[in-house]
Amino acid sequence: MKLISTVLAGTALALLGLSAMAQEAAIRKALAERIPQMKQIDEVSPTAMQGLYEVRIGTDVFYTDAKGNYLIQGELIDTKARRNLTEDRIAKITAVDFSALPIKDAFTIVRGDGKRKVAVFEDPNCGYCKRFERDMQKVDNVTVYLFLYPILSPDSAEKSRNIWCAKDKVAAWQDMMVRDRNPASASCDTTALQRNLAFGKKHKITGTPTLIFADGIRVPGAIGAPDVEKRLAEAAAETPTTN
């Protein structure tokens, strides 16, 4: 009897798997035929809401019914848990392995004991970045890996070069972003800046500032010091410590 039960359970699981595959295929077919932009769907998966499916294209998330007859572009909220499931999902999709960051192409700002870590991609001409940097002066015990990311204008590339080539990169950066003092003209090998741009393109970093915390979570935009503190604490809780 135990053997029969095991066989039946295995058969049921296999049938469920085939059913899920057929469901996914039906959704893909319907959406691709009706919406040209949905010919290249990366993933279809059921959500926590019965009958609702997530459709992922790159880092964009949509929702549909079991037949692909309706498409929803919006946020799915778990009212019981009080969580934004769409936000959680996008955070997971856009996460960047912190250990894979090309740290050699950044300069380091250490405050206090520097135990907490965050990487930031910034353009020296970005007004939001300046606001963020001024707020970051309130955050202690952190190591910031600053990736110059000149995407706003040709002048951004020039200022980034001057900062990267300065004898004291941190001082030049702080003067520029906190005290509105343009960096002195300087020159050196700036291939690191080109690699930063390539890395950003690969990971679809389209705006500045973009923060990446030690747990891999990416946060676009200039968040305030309290939110940085919150994210640093969450990242510390999620990141295993090594002795």
Side-chain angles (χ1 to χ4, degrees):
M1 287 297 292
K2 185 176 180 181
L3 178 60
I4 293 173
S5 297
T6 302
V7 171
L8 289 174
T11 302
L13 286 172
L15 290 173
L16 283 172
L18 289 172
S19 175
M21 289 173 63
Q23 189 73 72
E24 177 181 340
I27 290 172
R28 284 178 180 271
K29 183 174 184 294
L31 292 178
E33 288 175 351
R34 298 167 187 173
I35 305 175
Q37 296 90 334
M38 293 208 154
K39 290 186 181 296
Q40 299 297 326
I41 293 173
D42 293 306
E43 187 179 2
V44 175
S45 55
T47 69
M49 180 177 173
Q50 187 175 358
L52 188 70
Y53 292 79
E54 176 197 291
V55 177
R56 180 179 68 81
I57 301 176
T59 57
D60 294 324
V61 170
F62 306 89
Y63 299 102
T64 187
D65 64 299
K67 295 183 178 180
N69 289 333
Y70 301 94
L71 190 69
I72 301 169
Q73 185 175 15
E75 297 182 335
L76 182 61
I77 309 295
D78 183 334
T79 59
K80 187 176 180 180
R82 298 184 180 182
R83 292 191 67 88
N84 186 324
L85 300 183
T86 305
E87 190 176 85
D88 290 349
R89 179 69 171 131
I90 290 174
K92 184 176 180 180
I93 292 168
T94 60
V96 176
D97 182 358
F98 200 84
S99 65
L101 287 169
I103 299 301
K104 68 180 185 304
D105 294 331
F107 59 88
T108 305
I109 302 170
V110 181
R111 296 194 179 97
D113 61 28
K115 286 184 178 180
R116 303 180 299 176
K117 301 183 188 307
V118 61
V120 190
F121 286 74
E122 297 190 68
D123 185 305
N125 278 328
C126 166
Y128 291 107
C129 297
K130 289 185 178 181
R131 188 180 77 186
F132 169 75
E133 283 297 329
R134 288 163 185 171
D135 225 27
M136 276 296 288
Q137 306 302 307
K138 306 169 189 173
V139 179
D140 200 8
N141 299 326
V142 63
T143 295
V144 180
Y145 299 105
L146 201 296
F147 289 86
L148 292 167
Y149 195 58
I151 59 173
L152 295 181
S153 69
D155 182 57
S156 297
E158 182 181 344
K159 286 175 180 173
S160 293
R161 183 201 69 214
N162 292 338
I163 292 165
W164 181 252
C165 297
K167 289 182 179 180
D168 188 334
K169 295 179 178 63
V170 174
W173 175 252
Q174 296 292 337
D175 279 346
M176 174 78 206
M177 305 305 282
V178 179
R179 292 176 281 275
D180 289 321
R181 298 175 188 165
N182 286 338
S185 180
S187 60
C188 65
D189 181 358
T190 57
T191 52
L193 304 184
Q194 299 307 313
R195 289 194 294 268
N196 289 350
L197 292 171
F199 183 89
K201 183 177 180 180
K202 176 183 176 181
H203 292 277
K204 297 184 178 179
I205 297 175
T206 56
T208 56
T210 291
L211 290 70
I212 300 172
F213 290 87
D215 57 356
I217 296 300
R218 179 198 313 208
V219 177
I223 60 176
D227 285 328
V228 172
E229 290 283 4
K230 180 175 178 289
R231 297 281 184 174
L232 286 170
E234 291 173 348
E238 291 293 330
T239 308
T241 56
T242 56
N243 295 324

